[in-house]
Amino acid sequence: MSISSQTMRRLPVYLDYLKQLPRDTARISATAIASALELGDVQVRKDLASVSGAGKPRTGYDTAGLIQTLEDCLGCGEKRQAVIVGAGKLGRALLDYQGFETYGLSIEAAFDQSPDAVGVTDAGKRILPMAALEAFVQTHPIRIGILTVPADQAQQVCSRMCDCGIRAIWSFAPRRLHVPEGVLVQYENMAASLAVLSSHLAG
Amino acid sequence: MSISSQTMRRLPVYLDYLKQLPRDTARISATAIASALELGDVQVRKDLASVSGAGKPRTGYDTAGLIQTLEDCLGCGEKRQAVIVGAGKLGRALLDYQGFETYGLSIEAAFDQSPDAVGVTDAGKRILPMAALEAFVQTHPIRIGILTVPADQAQQVCSRMCDCGIRAIWSFAPRRLHVPEGVLVQYENMAASLAVLSSHLAG
């Protein structure tokens, strides 16, 4: 199954919409989903066809079945383990946030270079010294690294993550990263969103 | 000046790259920027032309001048005031995060429906009761609202924000929002990023 990353990014939006429908919504069409989410009809139809085949003419998809398919596709029932490097405010917030488990992501620990940061969070998650990163990743099934360090440390930490076997990096640092082939970087660029907001207010 | 939101989203990336160049980099070409950031040459050229005119043949742009232009364009020297609604872990992390001020955003206060959340953060920012939202927004030059409430409260809070004069909403809630004409919503969809990461690991 090969699904484009643009389609993958929209699947959680469809899933969230379907899950908040009244429980007696037995069937739903791509057109109804597109209309409710203000997305293009053709795009929604293609996205859903790529994960679940075409809906039936007129009646569309079985709602519960489509929810299940989307959850499977998003790995919601799995448990993918991640670590965070950078236990500042943002790193700690992500570490203690439980919403990611809905999407199959479990953040096992955070790492920080400051001895003051080392300890246990309110939610009982561990913050360990940076020196412990490699051993931890190599002794746990960690495949995802979350980067919440300042921009000027991002590449160095990213390289350490790749060297110890991490295959997917979720970066909150505003810096383009270089990774070996086979490693995916997903940027969460909050400054980009701020830029769009500012531009709207200036217009 | 009309710049597309796709271009606006890339400006902070260019700015960050230019700011970390050695201080003696007097001039830089669009081609060099594109190459360093692994972006398309044509795209970078068009983006920069739309904010700063074409670079000079061969030598490109004056680096300091381009940094200044990008900062002006992104409103870095301004102070745009925002409020946050939802003072959970993510909301509090954003409230105390100082990195947004680089981009001209100042978060003045947060609001929460839980009496337990009301108080003052470590960084000295106020968390106020929900009932105080309208009066606060109307007595301060607040134009931006940041939404960090659970998905099922997002629309209701969004409508209250719009009703009291907020013109741009930055939403971290995984829910499509309906807003009056003239209000911009920028979604920060972390679940979308997780979906792409998971898909990479499953592939």
Side-chain angles (χ1 to χ4, degrees), chain A:
Chain A
M1 186 168 60
S2 170
I3 302 172
S4 78
S5 60
Q6 287 311 309
T7 294
M8 283 303 299
R9 291 187 68 87
R10 287 187 289 266
L11 299 188
V13 179
Y14 302 143
L15 179 59
D16 177 68
Y17 171 70
L18 294 172
K19 284 166 81 174
Q20 55 87 53
L21 287 171
R23 282 180 170 272
D24 57 356
T25 314
R27 301 195 67 85
I28 185 134
S29 68
T31 305
I33 297 174
S35 164
L37 296 174
E38 297 174 14
L39 294 171
D41 194 63
V42 174
Q43 183 180 81
V44 174
R45 206 171 287 278
K46 282 171 79 173
D47 285 347
L48 296 182
S50 74
V51 298
S52 189
K56 287 195 187 162
R58 296 177 195 278
T59 62
Y61 292 92
D62 170 66
T63 310
L66 188 54
I67 288 174
Q68 184 65 55
T69 302
L70 289 170
E71 285 182 339
D72 290 348
C73 204
L74 289 166
C76 295
E78 298 176 42
K79 187 180 168 189
R80 296 206 165 88
Q81 297 188 9
V83 292
I84 291 183
V85 175
K89 284 185 188 300
L90 181 61
R92 283 201 300 266
L94 295 174
L95 181 63
D96 278 356
Y97 181 58
Q98 279 150 28
F100 297 138
E101 306 210 344
T102 315
Y103 293 96
L105 184 81
S106 167
I107 306 175
E108 298 297 309
F111 297 83
D112 201 280
Q113 64 175 9
S114 161
D116 295 342
V118 170
V120 175
T121 67
D122 296 345
K125 297 280 183 90
R126 280 177 297 172
I127 302 174
L128 303 169
M130 261 317 274
L133 175 69
E134 282 80 1
F136 190 93
V137 171
Q138 284 159 359
T139 54
H140 292 74
I142 308 287
R143 307 278 298 283
I144 297 177
I146 304 173
L147 258 182
T148 49
V149 296
D152 60 0
Q153 295 162 33
Q155 182 59 57
Q156 187 218 340
V157 171
C158 167
S159 299
R160 282 180 65 176
M161 286 179 168
C162 296
D163 286 347
C164 63
I166 281 174
R167 311 303 295 154
I169 290 175
W170 191 12
S171 178
F172 289 76
R175 178 67 49 96
R176 193 68 29 177
L177 299 171
H178 301 281
V179 291
E181 213 175 306
V183 176
L184 179 84
V185 182
Q186 186 71 28
Y187 297 96
E188 200 72 34
N189 190 346
M190 297 200 188
S193 298
L194 272 179
V196 176
L197 292 171
S198 290
S199 153
H200 173 72
L201 292 177

